[in-house]
Amino acid sequence: MSGGGLPGDAARAGAVLELRGLSLHDGERFYVEKASLRLEAGEVLAVTGDPGAGKSLLLRALAGLTPAGLRREGHARVSGRAALAVANPALAPELPLEHQFAELLSATAGLDPEAARVRAAAALDRMGAPSPAKLLDLPPRALTDALRWRAALALAMAGGPALLLADAPGAALDPTVRAELLARLAGWAREAGVALLLAGRPEDGVDGPADRVLALERGRLGPPAPAPAVAHAAQHPSGPPVLSARDLSVAFPLGDGRVLTAVEGVSFGVARGETLALLGETGSGKAVLARALARLAPVSGGRVTWMAQDLARAGDEMRRDIQLLFPHPAAALDPLMTVGAQLTQLLKRLRPDIPAGRRPAQIGRALERAGLPAATGGRYPGALTPEEAARAGLARALVTEPRLLIGDEPAGTLSGAAREAFLARLLRLQEEEGVSLVLATQDAGTGLRVAHRALVLAGGRVVEAADAAVLADGARHPYSRALVAAARGERPGLLPGEAQGRQEAGCPVRARCPSARGACAEAMPPLEEVAPGHWVACHGPEPGQI
Amino acid sequence: MPIPALFLFVLLATAGAALAEGDPWAPALRVAAQLPASAALATAALAAGAWTGARLGARPVGTSPLSAAAGLLAGAGPALPAFLVAAVLAALTGATAGWTAWLAAWASLALPAAAQATRIAREALTERLDAPESFGAMARGLPAEAVLSGRTRPAAVGAVARALGSAGAAMAAGTAAAEGLFGLPGAGGLFVEAARAGEAGLALTALAGLAGLALLIDAAAAGLARPDGARR
Amino acid sequence: MNLPPDTHPWPAAWRRLTARTPAAAGLALLAALLGALVLAAALLGDATRDPLPRALDAARISLSFAFLAGLLGAGIGLAWGLLAAALGGTAGRRLVETARGLAALPLVLAVPLAGGLSGHDKAMLLPAAALAAAPAVALATQAALRGLMRAEFLTAARASGATGREVLLHHLLPNAALPLLAAGWSALPRALAAEGFSGALGLGLPGGRAGLGTAIGAAVARGDAAGLLAPALLLGLTLWALGAVGDGLRAEADR
Ligand code: SF4
């Protein structure tokens, strides 16, 4: 695919962006301090930083949109036009895309609607959007998130900037979809000779396709610090499974007699002190599976046992053993009750054996183990930072002294060092107390690092299961390989498309699989053992050589 | 309840009321004959009010006298229900018939409609100005003036157009008050007269006619707003 | 506004509410009006012939009417909306659609109709005003609850073994209080306007010592523009104040 019809084909020479000692401050606080960098045409630079590090402000300043009240000092030079793609697709929801392209291209390039349409279609195609011509007639409201992002980035590039600043592009998308999107963007920039600056949190994957990476830390721009002491799974414990699922299915009644099957035929076991990762994209069923284990989703088939007892028939005493960590910890706390009051309530319900007088001590200990001062008990959820909220959620899970923790993206609201610290704490607790963990996450990198075993789910079914270390280096299923590649910042080997939910028949990833064949559409491949403890479900030619 | 079902309900109520009256068709015919006058008054006032409000409210909020007037009108809206304006104008002009009465009735319906429209347009304008999509468009290189004229102002006008689709009830009630207070012919005047005289059949028939008027206004406004509403 | 982290969300919401200029002005106006009413009743005794004390007397009657009818209407609307949310499914949807359909009709006309047909009987006017206000309250109630019922903290409570009753009493209802207050509040200005509306047409509360609407209607009938001033001003201001407080409550509930 060439950049046909797009501007900037002729590589521009020399530095497009040059900063020497650029500072942004409001007279009291420096948001960016003495930043220096040089970006050539066709070069791709990633700037990573935690939320609040000043990335968005820096980008706004470079685009000439410094917020009122901020002062700029130092030297900044952009040769040519700079365009900023802000941290969400930011398209007018009701205006057809064609209109939005025409509006921008007439203002920046003086194109008439006809020419604008041609260029828009080329840009959309370049960003991997299917049937661009049809897409142009639709308003963004009718599009999926991934398509909105493709359109927004296509819009930014169609304007023909010399410098494109992209703020957390596709951050909320599935890592697989995002990695493919970023690879396309970077490929275009190199080909068209546009200087591309990608900014994002460390976990947003912007470093993947970049030539160079800089880190912005509390306003200072510099080489990224060596990776922090990241959390790793401890020695793989052995022993009989304490939690086991056999042929588990989860289905939601839709009210009109039909049912929506979200998980089908999943089997696994988790030993004491073991961590199982549930990996997959949005809609793969991993979160539903996690909730079913916490008895928050209806099990429609198969059996789950905890300590040899059927979970479906167990009473409330099992709830003290199995606790769930929610994906949005702040939203999972009642805003009208203090953290302490909610923990007390939980103890009253699930630990009637603890006398009222000993509850405060129990709560204090849970807060401490979660890394919070005892005073947090007197605070309301609305006043907590994301990090504190995540820890308060952990404290709530710990207060009943559970033996199994189920996490549904438990660190999903955290970034960088805070995220690592939270995961490290979780693993330490596990090691010290032998708690078993089930972690559902779309981030295969983290999942495989902290877990002993992993299940890869697609469309509600397991497509690959193996030890985490095996999957990290030798995943065989094309979909698992894509998840692992995306986590490394590499371009996943799947065709452009989106995460898909359950399908009636056939392989759930066939629409995006480059090796799909006739059989793939007819039947779901069976899970077969390709090596001891390594199971793969693929009709592919030779799993592993795909 | 979908609009057709409501129409059926209104028709049945009319028929029931007429039958109760003994002479089944007289009240219904009287109301039907008077309804066009009410419809003309209500639509003329609503159109003028919405147009003025959309013009005033879609102006950038600033320090100009016009902007201040728009702010005042939008803010004072809740204090100015149509019946109150009509009462004040009726007491001031003493008009009970003729052009003055029509004009005053029209004004007392148009003023609250304008206030409401100004408020809606202003809120939509500010909301759209603060929305990420406006900043996003500027960040991609669209000039601020183009964002304002191409996006935010049409959005404010679109919001007023959409709100027209639920203005019928207030307009029908206001029409009844204005016609009653200025002694004008129309379904509303008939309703007030009948209620004062305790004529249940006629009053109910007129009420049904006014309910039908409210639904008609809603349906017509929704039809008018759709082509624009779908775009914004 | 920086509040200590151990401030209960309700006082915090109150502080934010009073920090909004229109809502604060509305509250001050309402407080001033209530104060004036109490003072007038205590100092002036029976109605005098001066226009202002007479208007205050009428305002007292109007507000009492609006309060009772508003309370009744809010009660009906809240029950309606709660029922719709609790039932859910087709039955719940029917209830909502009925409320939406009725809210599109000029229900306020039922009040002068009741006044005219019953010979200005309070016992008919009050329920008519209440019923006219109820559908809008029902719609707002159902909308607020629908969002709240999906809140993750309710799931978390269920996961911790709370029974349906406990979830309802300890978590759902306390968190619904503010949205429901905002929904119910809207019945007050509606009921007050209904009294004004029917009174202005001479179809409201019975004559003699009656509400603001009746006073306005009488002044119009006499062609007495000066006599209209005080009751019209009082009615307009009170409507404005109730509306401004309602807007503030709604904004707080939507946060
Ligand atoms: S080869 Fe077939 S079965 Fe295997 S992943 Fe691709 S589509 Fe699925």
Side-chain angles (χ1 to χ4, degrees):
Chain A
M1 222 177 314
S2 85
L6 291 177
D9 284 314
R12 300 177 176 94
V16 177
L17 171 66
E18 202 173 357
L19 302 185
R20 277 201 305 270
L22 178 77
S23 296
L24 291 175
H25 65 94
D26 59 4
E28 279 175 18
R29 195 187 136 187
F30 274 84
Y31 295 91
V32 174
E33 205 173 345
K34 303 218 172 72
S36 298
L37 75 91
R38 203 182 134 85
L39 193 56
E40 311 274 333
E43 197 185 2
V44 181
L45 170 73
V47 172
T48 63
D50 286 345
K55 303 181 299 288
S56 299
L57 285 178
L58 175 64
L59 259 51
R60 283 187 66 163
L62 297 184
L65 294 164
T66 314
L70 277 198
R71 277 199 295 268
R72 227 173 90 156
E73 274 163 20
H75 170 85
R77 191 180 56 84
V78 180
S79 38
R81 203 174 73 79
L84 166 63
V86 295
N88 67 50
L91 299 165
E94 306 285 3
L95 283 179
L97 282 177
E98 177 172 17
H99 181 104
Q100 308 198 35
F101 273 97
E103 194 183 44
L104 178 73
L105 293 180
S106 119
T108 57
L111 293 190
D112 61 43
E114 260 320 296
R117 195 177 161 94
V118 172
R119 193 189 279 188
L124 282 170
D125 184 54
R126 189 71 222 231
M127 283 317 294
S131 35
K134 256 191 250 154
L135 209 57
L136 279 171
D137 295 330
L138 297 177
R141 176 159 287 172
L143 307 179
T144 60
D145 272 347
L147 270 180
R148 269 199 284 272
W149 265 111
R150 289 184 202 276
L153 293 173
L155 193 53
M157 66 198 243
L163 168 66
L164 179 56
L165 309 153
D167 194 355
L173 299 178
D174 274 295
T176 37
V177 178
R178 182 180 61 211
E180 194 257 348
L181 196 76
L182 293 182
R184 279 176 181 274
L185 190 62
W188 162 78
R190 289 188 183 106
E191 222 172 274
V194 170
L196 176 62
L197 195 163
L198 303 167
R201 300 177 309 166
E203 49 281 337
D204 287 343
V206 288
D207 49 352
D211 304 317
R212 265 191 308 145
V213 181
L214 290 175
L216 189 60
E217 232 179 286
R218 275 185 242 110
R220 296 243 176 211
L221 192 62
V230 289
H232 270 285
Q235 193 78 47
H236 197 158
S238 57
V242 285
L243 174 75
S244 67
R246 184 136 300 282
D247 229 3
L248 177 64
S249 298
V250 183
F252 298 92
L254 288 180
D256 52 359
R258 290 179 305 153
V259 289
L260 177 79
T261 307
V263 172
E264 200 169 349
V266 173
S267 303
F268 60 86
V270 183
R272 182 174 185 275
E274 192 184 24
T275 304
L276 172 73
L278 306 176
L279 305 178
E281 298 178 332
T282 311
S284 63
K286 59 186 188 314
V288 172
L289 178 53
R291 282 178 186 239
L293 297 177
R295 299 206 302 184
L296 287 175
V299 171
S300 59
R303 208 165 108 96
V304 189
T305 55
W306 166 250
M307 301 279 191
Q309 254 191 304
D310 192 335
L311 202 61
R313 275 194 279 279
D316 259 0
E317 72 281 355
M318 193 159 293
R319 293 200 187 274
R320 74 169 260 198
D321 272 357
I322 304 178
Q323 285 285 321
L324 181 66
L325 296 171
F326 287 87
H328 299 287
L333 293 165
D334 187 329
L336 290 183
M337 294 171 80
T338 60
V339 172
Q342 305 193 43
L343 267 59
T344 308
Q345 208 179 44
L346 197 60
L347 280 182
K348 262 195 230 165
R349 281 192 201 124
L350 299 182
R351 291 298 304 267
D353 56 311
I354 298 179
R358 275 188 37 218
R359 282 186 204 135
Q362 178 87 0
I363 290 170
R365 199 159 57 246
L367 288 170
E368 190 199 310
R369 281 156 76 208
L372 289 169
T376 313
R379 297 174 63 185
Y380 285 92
L384 302 177
T385 63
E387 192 176 3
E388 287 168 338
R391 289 171 179 227
L394 180 59
R396 173 169 64 183
L398 292 175
V399 77
T400 60
E401 297 176 52
R403 290 189 277 182
L404 170 64
L405 279 180
I406 299 167
D408 179 5
E409 298 282 4
T413 53
L414 304 180
S415 165
R419 184 185 175 99
E420 277 309 320
F422 183 85
L423 289 171
R425 182 168 292 275
L426 203 57
L427 293 190
R428 198 162 67 241
L429 286 167
Q430 174 183 41
E431 227 178 299
E432 287 167 7
E433 303 173 24
V435 179
S436 306
L437 279 175
V438 175
L439 290 179
T441 176
Q442 55 168 306
D443 176 3
T446 309
L448 294 178
R449 181 155 54 81
V450 301
H452 302 108
R453 262 190 87 76
L455 301 183
V456 182
L457 285 121
R461 297 167 184 269
V462 175
V463 296
E464 188 161 10
D467 281 353
V470 172
L471 272 181
D473 295 326
R476 303 214 187 172
H477 196 281
Y479 174 79
S480 317
R481 293 160 78 94
L483 291 178
V484 173
R488 289 210 192 101
E490 291 160 13
R491 190 173 186 146
L494 292 180
L495 306 174
E498 301 190 29
Q500 257 155 357
R502 212 189 86 91
Q503 314 213 325
E504 272 323 305
C507 173
V509 283
R510 64 177 187 273
R512 294 150 69 197
C513 175
S515 340
R517 55 193 53 217
C520 304
E522 279 152 28
M524 170 72 195
L527 207 52
E528 283 167 3
E529 194 162 21
V530 295
H534 188 170
W535 299 76
V536 182
C538 177
H539 288 306
E542 269 173 87
Q545 270 81 59
I546 312 169
Chain B
M1 219 183 303
I3 298 262
L6 274 177
F7 265 126
L8 200 66
F9 165 74
V10 167
L11 274 180
L12 284 178
T14 319
L19 281 175
E21 196 60 4
D23 178 4
W25 302 113
L29 284 178
R30 273 182 78 187
V31 171
Q34 304 272 34
L35 211 48
S38 303
L41 179 62
T43 26
L46 182 60
W51 187 81
T52 318
R55 296 284 306 221
L56 274 178
R59 301 180 54 78
V61 178
T63 48
S64 73
L66 215 51
S67 169
L72 201 68
L73 189 60
L80 300 172
F83 76 85
L84 195 54
V85 183
V88 171
L89 288 183
L92 282 179
T93 61
T96 50
W99 278 111
T100 349
W102 279 108
L103 209 63
W106 172 82
S108 49
L109 291 176
L111 184 66
Q116 176 75 356
T118 310
R119 188 182 165 99
I120 289 168
R122 272 206 155 196
E123 272 166 15
L125 186 81
T126 343
E127 193 183 296
R128 193 53 76 96
L129 272 181
D130 293 341
E133 75 220 38
S134 295
F135 179 70
M138 281 191 266
R140 281 188 291 262
L142 199 61
E145 184 41 49
V147 174
L148 197 66
S149 66
R151 301 265 188 104
T152 41
R153 229 173 268 159
V157 175
V160 173
R162 273 195 304 281
L164 284 180
S166 52
M171 289 316 289
T175 306
E179 288 177 353
L181 284 166
F182 290 104
L184 293 172
L190 214 52
F191 168 76
V192 174
E193 242 173 64
R196 280 183 185 150
E199 288 176 45
L202 183 57
L204 275 172
T205 314
L207 177 57
L210 289 168
L213 175 61
L215 297 178
L216 262 177
I217 294 177
D218 282 357
L224 272 182
R226 190 155 300 130
D228 194 52
R231 262 167 50 84
R232 308 282 161 206
Chain C
M1 182 169 15
N2 270 327
L3 293 167
D6 52 357
T7 307
H8 189 277
W10 283 348
W14 170 254
R15 278 187 231 185
R16 280 192 305 268
L17 180 72
T18 48
R20 294 172 195 273
T21 316
L27 281 169
L29 255 172
L30 287 180
L33 184 67
L34 289 178
L37 293 186
V38 171
L39 266 182
L43 296 182
L44 302 169
D46 261 0
T48 66
R49 300 198 56 82
D50 294 334
L52 189 64
R54 279 185 38 174
L56 281 176
D57 193 49
R60 190 174 54 79
I61 293 169
S62 277
L63 274 183
S64 316
F65 177 88
F67 183 72
L68 288 177
L71 213 58
L72 188 61
I76 297 171
L78 287 175
W80 189 338
L82 280 165
L83 192 65
L87 286 177
T90 320
R93 221 169 19 248
R94 289 248 164 79
L95 280 175
V96 174
E97 274 167 14
T98 310
R100 188 165 295 133
L102 287 176
L105 297 177
L107 290 184
V108 68
L109 291 176
V111 185
L113 184 69
L117 297 188
S118 72
H120 308 272
D121 186 355
K122 255 185 230 149
M124 294 300 289
L125 284 164
L126 202 109
L131 285 174
V137 177
L139 287 177
T141 303
Q142 192 266 349
L145 285 175
R146 198 184 43 205
L148 196 58
M149 276 161 66
R150 281 196 290 260
E152 186 92 315
F153 64 84
L154 298 182
T155 311
R158 251 175 251 127
S160 69
T163 62
R165 206 183 120 82
E166 282 172 322
V167 171
L168 183 74
L169 293 182
H170 298 324
H171 301 289
L172 184 61
L173 286 184
N175 278 286
L178 189 56
L180 295 194
L181 177 64
W185 182 274
S186 71
L188 287 178
R190 274 174 201 277
L192 183 65
E195 190 278 325
F197 185 91
S198 35
L201 292 173
L203 293 165
L205 296 171
R209 289 182 63 188
L212 289 170
T214 308
I216 290 170
V220 174
R222 289 196 308 270
D224 174 8
L228 183 74
L229 186 69
L233 208 61
L234 271 178
L235 183 59
L237 281 178
T238 316
L239 280 175
W240 184 88
L242 288 171
V245 175
D247 286 349
L249 283 174
R250 215 168 23 252
E252 273 309 310
D254 287 349
R255 256 171 67 95

